[in-house]
Amino acid sequence: MRSTAVSGAILAWAMGRAVDAAFGVTTKSNSFSIDTNGGLAFDVSKSNGDITNLSYKGVQYQGTSKMTQINSGLGTSKVTADTVNGIVRITVTGGSQPLTHYYVVKPDDPTIYMATYITGEINPGELRFLARLKRSAVPNGWHGDAANLDGCTAFEGKDTFKCPNGQTRCKMYTADRFIDDQVHGVTGNNVGIWLIMPGTAYETSSGGPFMRDINTQSGDDQELYWYMNSGHVRTEPWRYGLMGPYAMRFTTGPKPSANLDTSFFETLSIQGYVPASKRGSVSGTATGVADGFQAVLHWYNNASQYWAIADTNGSYTSPLMKPGTYTTKLYRGEFPIAQDSVTITAGAKTTKNMASTEANPPVVWRIGNFDGQPFELKNGDKIERMHPEDVRMGSWGGSYTVGKSSPKEFPMALFSKKGGDATVTFNVAANQAKAETTLRVGTTLSFKGGRPSVKIGTWTGKDPGAPKLIDSRGVTRGAYRGYGEVYTWKVPAGTLREGSNTLTLGVSGSGDANFLSANYIIDAVELQGPAGADSPRA
């Protein structure tokens, strides 16, 4: 095959025109060289499995200082190359890591298909594929300038930067929810380099449908990531097995479809690959989710995770799942409202209807929506893409008047040493003042043990105690979702006064200074009791 390619190149040169090299893999002294015959050619190091060359349509895209690799490189590894059923397969067995990584190439397809198989946790506590690309060739990162570090200086850790204009940058600000993130990439002049996570690519990752992680960073290199597992706001243990299949595709610019066929992996003896014929599914209806909110179904156990969004009629069908018994959750947006279980059998289609089991007591007033997201509150529309200190942010803390203020005036987060408390002024009628009421505060994420402190008049609610610790910066790196604690306090009858009352909502906990002090993100706040003039309407 190599001599044929060389002869073809010589003939083309002699005829005064260029042609693509023939599809296949060539063994060099230090690498395996693969040509897709689709415009993409790349080299894989024989010593460690790094990609050391990425050439598309004659342009070099591989960065120069660091290579494209798993994590920051696997070190000395066993690397082999073969051709199976006309498909090139490169197998990288990590020498010191419980990991096998695959590069797979089909003829005439400018795509590197991949899968990563693990049998244990990978040092240093994360698992990612990272393409380090030539910045001048692909200058445009994901989500615009969210992680463009040009001229900016690190001010929090080594990953969060402030620019001369007061704006902030962080690679975490390029993150999207797993349920939404099937294709992301970087672009340049007549080129797009895209990571595609099709179908059930996330099934062995951890974190669930609303987990978010780094997608790109624009520094000396243009960095393109897929995080399979990490410690960034980690809420559950790692899963082991096959991550993927996933792919890196080169285009002339347009974003490719997420509908990427990887069924041919069944013929390649890839460890951990489970074909469609050995999977099952579940379908049904989801009810009790109010109009205007996504109805999200989530299936998970210690080995696998899956998700689906019900249509406007509540109908859903799961992806093809590995056999097993799964916890099933139904969410209104990202707020859990029902839980059950289902058993999946290979080759079978199971039916399972889900209905909300959420209580629906009368409410005096409510701020925001119990949907597991802070986006409708003040600064909530910005928090995914910038630091709380960013000049584009509004003030923190503040006052809210029920019946007059809008949710955009109520802070989406409170900090024990920055921004001050939030106050809620509200009126109650005589019958409401005489009743016992319940104050309910929904949160989505806590840092340094931050939890609500509450006071109405002379009444102070009991400290609920520190929530389960997530040992990771959250709100300052654009994260908003953790365990989602919901706190309730019984407010004794007679506490409220007929007419005007004020709730003071603060933070228990200390932590460090400023925005790294103890904090929590707010989902919604409500006072449950007899309905009145300011009660939310169904």
Side-chain angles (χ1 to χ4, degrees):
M1 181 176 292
R2 186 179 183 185
S3 62
T4 302
V6 172
S7 299
I10 294 173
L11 178 60
W13 172 81
M15 295 176 63
R17 60 183 179 85
V19 297
D20 288 333
F23 171 79
V25 57
T26 301
T27 301
K28 297 181 178 179
S29 57
N30 297 318
S31 65
F32 295 110
S33 183
I34 301 95
D35 197 301
T36 66
N37 196 41
L40 173 64
F42 66 101
D43 292 348
V44 177
S45 168
K46 292 166 68 174
S47 63
N48 57 25
D50 288 355
I51 293 178
T52 59
N53 161 64
L54 278 169
S55 176
Y56 179 60
K57 294 187 177 294
V59 178
Q60 180 59 244
Y61 291 97
Q62 174 58 49
T64 55
S65 60
K66 296 181 180 179
M67 299 298 106
T68 291
Q69 55 202 188
I70 293 290
N71 284 5
S72 296
L74 295 174
T76 302
S77 302
K78 179 183 178 181
V79 184
T80 61
D82 56 7
T83 301
V84 181
N85 301 321
I87 295 172
V88 171
R89 177 184 61 185
I90 307 291
T91 305
V92 183
T93 305
S96 61
Q97 300 274 18
L99 176 149
T100 302
H101 181 67
Y102 300 92
Y103 300 110
V104 175
V105 182
K106 298 196 305 180
D108 309 318
D109 184 351
T111 305
I112 303 174
Y113 296 84
M114 290 175 278
T116 307
Y117 179 79
I118 62 171
T119 57
E121 191 160 336
I122 306 301
N123 185 46
E126 64 182 21
L127 179 61
R128 67 188 184 186
F129 174 75
L130 170 53
R132 292 187 172 92
L133 306 168
K134 191 177 291 185
R135 176 85 183 278
S136 60
V138 279
N140 307 314
W142 196 241
H143 289 296
D145 286 335
N148 182 345
L149 308 184
D150 294 345
C152 307
T153 303
F155 77 103
E156 184 183 296
K158 297 179 180 180
D159 57 10
T160 309
F161 295 76
K162 184 173 287 184
C163 308
N165 62 2
Q167 295 184 6
T168 52
R169 309 278 190 257
C170 180
K171 55 189 175 182
M172 296 293 294
Y173 301 158
T174 66
D176 294 309
R177 305 187 311 169
F178 284 178
I179 195 171
D180 303 321
D181 188 12
Q182 290 186 287
V183 183
H184 62 258
V186 297
T187 60
N189 185 28
N190 295 319
V191 67
I193 304 176
W194 307 93
L195 287 178
I196 308 174
M197 288 66 65
T200 57
Y202 288 100
E203 68 181 349
T204 316
S205 295
S206 64
F210 314 124
M211 177 69 179
R212 301 165 63 246
D213 222 317
I214 302 164
N215 283 337
T216 68
Q217 179 173 250
S218 306
D220 293 336
D221 287 331
Q222 184 69 274
E223 298 174 351
L224 176 61
Y225 297 81
W226 182 44
Y227 264 84
M228 294 163 258
N229 277 320
S230 83
H232 301 147
V233 196
R234 178 176 175 176
T235 58
E236 65 177 352
W238 280 32
R239 294 179 174 90
Y240 305 132
L242 187 71
M243 311 287 171
Y246 57 104
M248 181 164 63
R249 171 164 285 181
F250 287 67
T251 73
T252 55
K255 180 180 177 181
S257 169
N259 295 321
L260 189 67
D261 181 14
T262 59
S263 61
F264 61 91
F265 268 64
E266 184 176 0
T267 69
L268 300 178
S269 299
I270 302 293
Q271 292 185 79
Y273 182 78
V274 179
S277 60
K278 295 184 179 180
R279 295 171 177 265
S281 65
V282 57
S283 61
T285 57
T287 55
V289 179
D291 291 344
F293 296 93
Q294 278 189 331
V296 178
L297 285 301
H298 178 202
W299 301 271
Y300 62 94
N301 57 26
N302 292 336
S304 304
Q305 60 174 7
Y306 307 91
W307 43 75
I309 299 173
D311 65 20
T312 55
N313 296 317
S315 299
Y316 74 85
T317 299
S318 75
L320 290 174
M321 301 161 62
K322 297 175 187 175
T325 298
Y326 293 86
T327 297
T328 307
K329 281 191 176 181
L330 172 64
Y331 300 86
R332 176 178 58 245
E334 299 184 24
F335 189 84
I337 58 174
Q339 180 171 316
D340 207 330
S341 65
V342 67
T343 298
I344 300 298
T345 304
K349 296 180 179 180
T350 301
T351 299
K352 185 77 172 184
N353 296 326
M354 294 288 293
S356 172
T357 58
E358 184 181 32
N360 188 28
V363 172
V364 179
W365 53 261
R366 178 184 300 132
I367 303 171
N369 302 311
F370 282 93
D371 60 358
Q373 303 170 332
F375 303 146
E376 72 274 20
L377 305 179
K378 183 168 65 171
N379 293 325
D381 59 334
K382 304 178 184 71
I383 199 61
E384 292 179 284
R385 310 294 171 212
M386 61 189 77
H387 192 278
E389 195 171 311
D390 195 291
V391 294
R392 294 167 289 180
M393 286 285 186
S395 62
W396 293 94
S399 300
Y400 182 98
T401 301
V402 173
K404 294 182 179 180
S405 301
S406 72
K408 288 294 183 184
E409 298 174 65
F410 191 83
M412 55 77 64
L414 290 172
F415 305 84
S416 65
K417 298 180 181 179
K418 189 72 174 180
D421 296 336
T423 60
V424 180
T425 301
F426 59 98
N427 292 313
V428 295
N431 67 312
Q432 294 172 312
K434 294 177 182 178
E436 179 185 74
T437 55
T438 298
L439 179 64
R440 185 183 186 216
V441 179
T443 69
T444 68
L445 178 62
S446 168
F447 179 71
K448 294 287 186 180
R451 68 274 189 192
S453 64
V454 296
K455 181 179 180 180
I456 301 175
T458 60
W459 172 82
T460 298
K462 181 180 178 181
D463 183 351
K468 184 177 180 180
L469 178 67
I470 297 178
D471 189 18
S472 174
R473 281 176 289 150
V475 66
T476 64
R477 291 201 296 187
Y480 66 86
R481 183 173 177 82
Y483 292 115
E485 290 87 358
V486 178
Y487 301 92
T488 59
W489 294 264
K490 292 294 184 182
V491 182
T495 298
L496 301 181
R497 299 173 305 185
E498 183 179 0
S500 181
N501 295 264
T502 298
L503 162 69
T504 300
L505 188 62
V507 182
S508 293
S510 56
D512 298 322
N514 299 323
F515 292 109
L516 289 179
S517 60
N519 61 70
Y520 59 89
I521 295 176
I522 298 167
D523 183 12
V525 182
E526 70 180 13
L527 185 67
Q528 298 173 355
D534 292 319
S535 298
R537 301 293 179 247

